[in-house]
Amino acid sequence: MSEERSLNFIEEIIENDLKSGKYESIVTRFPPEPNGYLHMGHASSICLNFGLTRKYKGYTNLRFDDTNPITEDTEYVESIKEDIKWLGFEWKNELYASDYFEQLFQFAVTLINKGLAYVDDSTAEQIALEKGTPTQPGVNSKYRDRSIEENLQLFNEMRAGKYEDGAKVLRLKIDMSAGNMLMRDPLIYRIKHAHHHRTGDAWCIYPMYDFAHGQSDSIEKITHSICTMEFIPHRELYDWLIEKLEIFPSHQYEFARRNLNYTVMSKRKLLSLVNDGFVNGWDDPRMPTISGMRRRGYPASSIREFCDRIGIGKRENMVDIGLLEFCVREDLNKSSQRRMVVFDPIKVTISNFSSDEIVHIENNPENENGGEREVLFSNEIYIEREDFMENPPKKYFRLAPGQLVRLKSAYIIQCDEVIKDDAGNIIELKCTYFPESKSGQDTSGLQVKSTIHWVSCKEAVPVTINLYDRLFKVEDVDGADGEFKDHINENSLIVLKTAVAEKSLLSATLNDRFQFLRKGYFCLDKESTANNLIFNRTVTLKDSWAKEKAK
Ligand code: ATP
Ligand code: MG
């Protein structure tokens, strides 16, 4: 797959850089802000950054971009590390932008000394007002011509905590009439008396993103700093700072953000789904977070395959979640163990079968080494209620009065009698079986068109089934009218309490992947206990939404 695909534009750049001898090896970084859990968009950035250094024999740093003390948290740091490892990648160094605070401060001092930065006492409103517009140049701040000495003193006092939040900022002295608004004397430090999750109360001034990011890249000698397209206008400033500080020349490259339909991907929106109780936490199986997808049963390999297939580009587009589900199905079809679970059971009594019998059922027809398991077949079994119809239409090939059906890996049965309670509900089916019709050694000569799954009553284990579906009803959630939460799919979780499973599922573990025959792919949920087995539907067997759309 990846070998056959043509090079993407970043790979082309890297191959040229290696060929020309610009770099001997490459270094990338993945720089999450620890203000939420990672989502599918991050997964694509992770696969890109770590995938490149795996392919070209370099390394990737994990750098927490923790320059904003307010929103960051250690819980997020831990979840991010777990998610990257689970996706199958290893970082070389675990780093924190906050570890560079002293170095960044010194860089700022260097810029002041070069006459390239100044302390501005203007209010935020004043600064915004003086900034101009894309068609109108800005105006110089009245603090712009402070002497180097005064700037140094004020900046040191800012650090020492002499001023209130917002009283002063440090700005670069570039050009208030620059065509690129970001070059109009951008702010690089602000005062914020706030506790930081790593540096505690050591600092009350914090660097702005544009100042910290490129400099952190440079400190780590990152060769290819890859970010999303919205940072294109920042590249000029990124290069300017590296040039003026005369530090390692990291380069920034941009690719288009990856968005998925039927979901939202900004951490802010995901956080509000959690806080407002629309989902049960960041790792709710309906969330597009890596932890949500893991809990839902998506194999890490299927997410990597998906990221590989969508590739990277320069234009933002919406990726069909159907493609992700396709990758998940393809992966699980090969790797999952087949099991029988009846969701809505109806009892079948086989009147001419008396002794118990062990039948052997293959675990995975897609894997010749998958082996078999033993399943008890007895005279009382459960089948799906929907596999029986009292008055079937013409082409109904499952069980009906007088009609025949095959039981998976067992016998053909025929329905002889329908038993109802006083209210007229069907409560049991009386059937007979054909002894010569055993699967694999059938000499009965009978023709049946359908095979259904079953669970013997003696070994039936009650289980809870979480049927997950897409969290949103509309394709373009961000673009739809109204609030994004207006479009939540109220049927995105259906909890079934009626299901019974074959006994072998008692030993299911969190790492196991199952296909419940004719039902879909499932995995054990982390809240499952010995007395209450809970299974999550990972994905249905077929893409029911594609049909829905075609209607
Ligand atoms: P969000 O808007 O969801 O908070 P973010 O870009 O602010 O996302 P960061 O933690 O700052 O999240 O990003 C870490 C890395 O992941 C960055 O390099 C960013 O470009 C990348 N990234 C985030 N979202 C996407 C996406 N949808 N597609 C591709 N890359 C993404
Ligand atoms: Mg961010």
Side-chain angles (χ1 to χ4, degrees):
M1 278 158 301
S2 40
E3 281 74 31
E4 292 159 22
R5 189 170 50 84
S6 56
L7 295 184
N8 64 46
F9 72 92
I10 293 181
E11 290 171 330
E12 273 175 23
I13 291 168
I14 290 175
E15 295 207 352
N16 285 332
D17 287 347
L18 291 172
K19 223 179 279 164
S20 72
K22 185 171 174 188
Y23 304 114
E24 273 174 27
S25 63
I26 63 161
V27 186
T28 62
R29 85 287 171 265
F30 175 65
E33 188 180 347
N35 61 350
Y37 281 61
L38 297 181
H39 53 60
M40 190 64 221
H42 297 113
S44 94
S45 173
I46 292 168
C47 289
L48 176 64
N49 279 296
F50 286 87
L52 287 169
T53 52
R54 186 174 278 178
K55 179 168 176 182
Y56 295 108
K57 317 239 176 331
Y59 64 82
T60 302
N61 285 340
L62 168 59
R63 184 202 310 143
F64 290 100
D65 184 2
D66 58 350
T67 51
N68 180 0
I70 309 293
T71 53
E72 293 153 6
D73 204 314
T74 322
E75 174 196 343
Y76 298 135
V77 167
E78 292 311 315
S79 78
I80 288 169
K81 284 166 36 176
E82 187 185 353
D83 288 350
I84 299 172
K85 279 191 236 158
W86 177 76
L87 268 181
F89 296 106
E90 254 176 80
W91 53 88
K92 167 96 170 189
N93 304 297
E94 176 185 331
L95 303 162
Y96 295 80
S98 57
D99 290 343
Y100 306 138
F101 280 171
E102 183 60 39
Q103 169 87 74
L104 293 169
F105 179 84
Q106 294 308 329
F107 282 153
V109 168
T110 301
L111 291 168
I112 295 174
N113 276 319
K114 287 187 170 190
L116 295 171
Y118 63 98
V119 173
D120 195 330
D121 304 1
S122 308
T123 61
E125 295 74 35
Q126 186 68 18
I127 291 176
L129 211 65
E130 288 175 354
K131 188 134 203 192
T133 67
T135 51
Q136 241 184 350
V139 207
N140 287 350
S141 160
K142 65 177 179 199
Y143 300 101
R144 200 173 197 259
D145 294 319
R146 277 180 160 153
S147 69
I148 290 175
E149 291 66 36
E150 190 183 2
N151 280 319
L152 284 175
Q153 187 191 336
L154 291 172
F155 189 48
N156 276 304
E157 286 174 357
M158 279 166 67
R159 174 180 182 166
K162 190 165 173 193
Y163 306 107
E164 305 270 284
D165 287 8
K168 289 181 169 36
V169 292
L170 185 70
R171 297 178 74 176
L172 294 177
K173 196 190 271 191
I174 308 182
D175 179 3
M176 286 307 289
S177 58
N180 180 349
M181 299 283 286
L182 290 173
M183 299 299 277
R184 294 187 186 174
D185 291 10
L187 274 59
I188 60 169
Y189 267 94
R190 62 199 157 145
I191 302 171
K192 217 170 219 182
H193 292 267
H195 190 83
H196 185 280
H197 77 115
R198 275 176 72 85
T199 57
D201 298 314
W203 293 88
C204 62
I205 55 171
Y206 290 94
M208 306 293 283
Y209 173 88
D210 276 320
F211 189 62
H213 197 84
Q215 287 40 257
S216 303
D217 283 347
S218 187
I219 292 168
E220 294 171 22
K221 297 193 165 49
I222 302 298
T223 56
H224 298 79
S225 172
I226 303 165
C227 58
T228 42
M229 302 293 270
E230 69 271 23
F231 288 98
I232 289 178
H234 298 248
R235 194 191 325 131
E236 192 178 353
L237 182 53
Y238 184 104
D239 292 342
W240 187 93
L241 280 164
I242 283 180
E243 184 199 314
K244 300 298 180 207
L245 288 166
E246 300 172 71
I247 52 180
F248 181 85
S250 297
H251 284 280
Q252 174 183 307
Y253 300 92
E254 306 88 11
F255 76 111
R257 218 162 241 280
R258 288 306 182 198
N259 299 309
L260 273 182
N261 60 10
Y262 293 103
T263 192
V264 290
M265 221 126 68
S266 106
K267 279 182 278 191
R268 187 180 52 80
K269 288 182 179 166
L270 295 175
L271 177 64
S272 85
L273 289 175
V274 173
N275 287 343
D276 297 349
F278 285 99
V279 294
N280 304 314
W282 282 98
D283 69 347
D284 184 295
R286 292 166 290 183
M287 292 280 270
T289 51
I290 297 179
S291 49
M293 294 189 285
R294 174 167 65 235
R295 187 166 171 191
R296 181 138 173 188
Y298 287 14
S301 49
S302 68
I303 298 174
R304 292 197 302 267
E305 171 66 16
F306 170 72
C307 292
D308 208 36
R309 278 181 190 240
I310 59 176
I312 58 163
K314 284 267 184 197
R315 271 225 318 246
E316 257 198 53
N317 65 346
M318 185 90 93
V319 183
D320 186 2
I321 198 167
L323 178 63
L324 174 58
E325 292 167 351
F326 170 85
C327 293
V328 172
R329 279 190 198 99
E330 223 189 25
D331 196 304
L332 290 175
N333 181 41
K334 288 188 219 114
S335 59
S336 69
Q337 302 272 309
R338 272 54 172 179
R339 293 291 182 267
M340 296 198 289
V341 179
V342 175
F343 283 19
D344 182 13
I346 180 166
K347 191 174 159 187
V348 167
T349 308
I350 305 169
S351 37
N352 60 341
F353 188 85
S354 48
S355 59
D356 289 345
E357 185 178 329
I358 299 291
V359 296
H360 294 89
I361 308 187
E362 63 201 338
N363 286 323
N364 183 354
E366 299 292 322
N367 175 5
E368 20 178 87
N369 303 318
E372 293 182 334
R373 67 191 184 286
E374 296 185 339
V375 178
L376 181 77
F377 182 70
S378 54
N379 65 340
E380 289 181 332
I381 59 170
Y382 292 115
I383 65 166
E384 282 310 334
R385 193 167 281 276
E386 64 176 19
D387 283 336
F388 173 79
M389 273 186 99
E390 195 172 14
N391 300 299
K394 235 185 169 165
K395 289 200 167 160
Y396 186 83
F397 297 121
R398 288 169 276 165
L399 205 58
Q403 206 161 292
L404 277 58
V405 78
R406 172 171 294 286
L407 298 173
K408 168 73 185 166
S409 295
Y411 298 92
I412 294 174
I413 57 169
Q414 172 178 307
C415 178
D416 303 320
E417 194 187 342
V418 181
I419 309 216
K420 297 182 181 174
D421 64 12
D422 294 341
N425 301 310
I426 300 172
I427 49 168
E428 193 183 331
L429 303 172
K430 297 257 185 231
C431 294
T432 41
Y433 89 114
F434 296 89
E436 284 82 48
S437 68
K438 178 90 187 272
S439 275
Q441 52 207 66
D442 185 352
T443 56
S444 70
L446 296 169
Q447 297 292 326
V448 290
K449 285 215 166 77
S450 280
T451 301
I452 63 173
H453 60 279
W454 51 274
V455 169
S456 79
C457 297
K458 269 192 193 158
E459 292 198 335
V461 179
V463 296
T464 299
I465 303 275
N466 291 327
L467 294 174
Y468 289 109
D469 198 354
R470 293 175 186 176
L471 189 52
F472 290 92
K473 287 183 287 197
V474 294
E475 210 175 322
D476 181 4
V477 184
D478 291 316
D481 291 343
E483 245 247 281
F484 77 100
K485 288 176 201 156
D486 298 343
H487 305 288
I488 288 195
N489 174 5
E490 50 284 342
N491 298 318
S492 60
L493 170 59
I494 293 169
V495 181
L496 275 187
K497 290 280 186 187
T498 51
V500 289
E502 62 172 81
K503 203 178 74 177
S504 67
L505 282 169
L506 280 173
S507 58
T509 69
L510 285 175
N511 291 325
D512 292 328
R513 295 290 174 270
F514 300 105
Q515 183 193 103
F516 292 171
L517 287 187
R518 303 170 65 224
K519 290 291 174 190
Y521 293 100
F522 290 81
C523 67
L524 197 68
D525 186 72
K526 67 169 194 192
E527 283 177 3
S528 188
T529 61
N531 298 326
N532 180 24
L533 289 180
I534 305 171
F535 290 94
N536 295 332
R537 180 166 72 194
T538 307
V539 68
T540 53
L541 288 176
K542 288 204 186 84
D543 185 355
S544 50
W545 284 73
K547 265 186 272 160
E548 198 60 33
K549 258 195 281 179
K551 267 185 199 164

